[in-house]
Amino acid sequence: MTSQTERGPHYSPVTRGAGLIFTSGQLPLRPGRATSLADASFKEQAQQALANRQSVLSEAGADLAQVVKTTVYLSDMADWPELDEVYGQFFGAACPARSVVPTGPLHFGFRIEIEAIALAS
């Protein structure tokens, strides 16, 4: 029998249902060995979390124009103005509904986590 530790966390990065794509929260982790951006600036963390969001959507056959709702978890609401700047650059003309939730400390010391719901093609 495989333990949860051996197989990883018990969740899917993406699922589909009712014509929608639901993505799990994305943290500011880079691919490869040195993956954590916990010590990086908020801007760098936000850019990486959004890039990870885009990657998961792409793997699910969707793009940013199909995103209808995001939820952004922030460890510090003082980061909101910088979030708006990075988020706007990332989404461009797309303007999905968005909730920003203050959380206090996030996993691994990150300052941001982002989840999304998109229309399935």
Side-chain angles (χ1 to χ4, degrees):
M1 179 180 239
T2 304
S3 72
Q4 177 143 347
T5 306
E6 292 169 343
R7 74 169 184 258
H10 190 75
Y11 72 92
S12 296
V14 62
T15 64
R16 293 174 176 266
L20 298 171
I21 298 169
F22 299 87
T23 65
S24 296
Q26 295 297 305
L27 294 166
L29 294 165
R30 292 182 299 233
R33 297 187 131 246
T35 64
S36 177
L37 289 177
D39 293 330
S41 69
F42 176 79
K43 184 175 185 175
E44 290 174 280
Q45 288 193 31
Q47 289 170 331
Q48 186 65 53
L50 286 162
N52 294 347
R53 162 72 36 245
Q54 187 172 19
S55 178
V56 169
L57 286 168
S58 178
E59 289 173 16
D63 61 36
L64 295 178
Q66 292 168 260
V67 174
V68 294
K69 170 75 168 80
T70 64
T71 304
V72 180
Y73 302 95
L74 293 180
S75 65
D76 186 346
M77 292 304 281
D79 290 326
W80 190 321
E82 199 161 21
L83 167 66
D84 273 342
E85 177 189 334
V86 173
Y87 190 94
Q89 292 169 355
F90 188 78
F91 276 100
C95 198
R98 180 181 79 183
S99 298
V100 177
V101 181
T103 64
L106 287 165
H107 202 45
F108 303 121
F110 292 122
R111 295 167 63 181
I112 186 169
E113 182 173 349
I114 303 170
E115 63 183 32
I117 301 170
L119 298 172
S121 304

